[in-house]
Amino acid sequence: MKKIYIIILTLSMSLVSCDQWLEIEPEYTQDAENFFNTEEDFQRAVIGVYDLMQTNYLQIWIGEIASDNSIAGGESVNDTQGLHEIDNMTHGGVNNELRDVMRFNYTGIARANFIFENENKIDFASKERLMAEISFIRAYFYFTLVNYFGDMPLIVDRRISINEVFQIDRTPKAEIYAQIERDLDRAIQELNWTNPELGRITKGAALALKGKVLLYQQKFSEAAQVFDELISTNQANYALVSDMNTMWLAVNQNRSEDVFTIQHSGLQGGDYGCLVCLQGNPAVGFHSIRNYVGPFYADGNSYNLPTQNLYDFFGNDPRRQVTILDLDAFIAAQPNPDDISYAVGGGGHTGYFNNKYIKRAAERGLPDDDLTSQLNYRAIRFADVLLMAAEAFAQTGNDARARVELNKVRQRAGVAEITSSGAQLLEDIYRERRLELSGEGLRFWDLVRTGKAAEAIPGFQVGKHELFPIPQVEIDLAGGRWSQNPGY
């Protein structure tokens, strides 16, 4: 039928005179080769690169569920089975969530590379800023891939043909890190500290991510220098917000503590078949209380449930109630507890919920509001910057400066200052990271990079689980050139 349609279309065209044909201007038709002719073309393409960062829900899930902070939860153990396998450390090369991580990040890289390929096609006033923004985002995508999978194919500034897919090998992660640093240096050099358009990448975000990248490579001296520049210069006026209890409400987004934030909107819907198509934050609905009927919160799917281990770890630290919703205690404290109900999912139940990224009745987006939360993902906030700085300073022997940055975070939390030094100070910083940042998708990576994963995560095998497996389907699509990560 397609061939018949083309023949009919061709014959119909032949009946039109040349003059008539030349006057026709086909609407809404544009291909890759005649794009990037205007500043608007570049602006639209850059937004397309930003768009792929909204797959951050995978980071929140896997970064918490793979650690000792939470269990997968959900309707059953077969509901999003890949998360349950990651939870149990039984994941292998066939895992939908891990394949999504690889596909989504490489899609974002491909979009960025297409723009870089056409960088010199035209000039306009905002071009250097736009190129710096996507330099940052490409670095962020590659950093994510290296953390998950280690060595990965490195492709920059160009598209690749289908034939090249069968010829590209995995690049050593040291080379990928070098490219990440080059991209971030470009972003740091070109970007301003602030941007009037919310969500745009800034110099502060680029400095923060570079410091994090250096820290993950154990380049502690270089990381300390970058964090010192960010904290000391601070022309964006980053600061810890005073009220931890309300900072995770939607009305308190894009405040002084937000250094690198991925924006979401509750105004555009979608469906479960394409979470990457959403503009909302689907993690929020997935984290929320199954079949909940009651005040303040709203119903959801009961995923990514905090563990008893995490709840007990907080002790009396006031950040426990900020981080974890103890649902039964919350219900018991209401004036009408008998009127409040919820369901327990077959995928596991702890009684606790992620109180940072949870659906609240007053913050619902458009239907299906499980998928359209307006809550942004705080990829790097200033508290994280201070704790990373403290770690870098402690690792380079500057205990006094490390305590200064660490205690800024503890002072905001209303807990006693740390006075330790040496190895104990470093342990206190690691402990503080869990107290401050749990629920935000960072715990697994902290455990891995500090060598503490095996003692904290049941089933974790040293030499294997530091990396996730390359999706087998991607190995097959590459013609079997790529070796699988050790142990899988």
Side-chain angles (χ1 to χ4, degrees), residues 97-126:
E97 282 62 48
L98 294 176
R99 190 188 182 198
D100 282 346
V101 169
M102 184 171 175
R103 288 190 304 161
F104 294 161
N105 282 279
Y106 267 121
T107 299
I109 289 166
R111 291 184 182 184
N113 282 340
F114 186 32
I115 302 174
F116 281 114
E117 186 179 321
N118 290 275
E119 179 177 2
N120 297 321
K121 194 171 183 180
I122 64 170
D123 286 315
F124 52 90
S126 65

Side-chain angles (χ1 to χ4, degrees), residues 195-243:
N195 192 306
E197 186 175 355
L198 286 176
R200 291 279 185 179
I201 302 303
T202 62
K203 182 189 290 288
L207 283 166
L209 184 56
K210 184 176 181 183
K212 182 173 183 175
V213 166
L214 293 169
L215 191 70
Y216 273 51
Q217 296 177 80
Q218 299 187 353
K219 296 180 178 179
F220 299 120
S221 179
E222 294 177 57
Q225 292 176 12
V226 172
F227 287 126
D228 180 58
E229 179 182 355
L230 174 57
I231 295 167
S232 300
T233 307
N234 195 11
Q235 293 183 26
N237 296 317
Y238 298 122
L240 301 175
V241 301
S242 58
D243 188 355

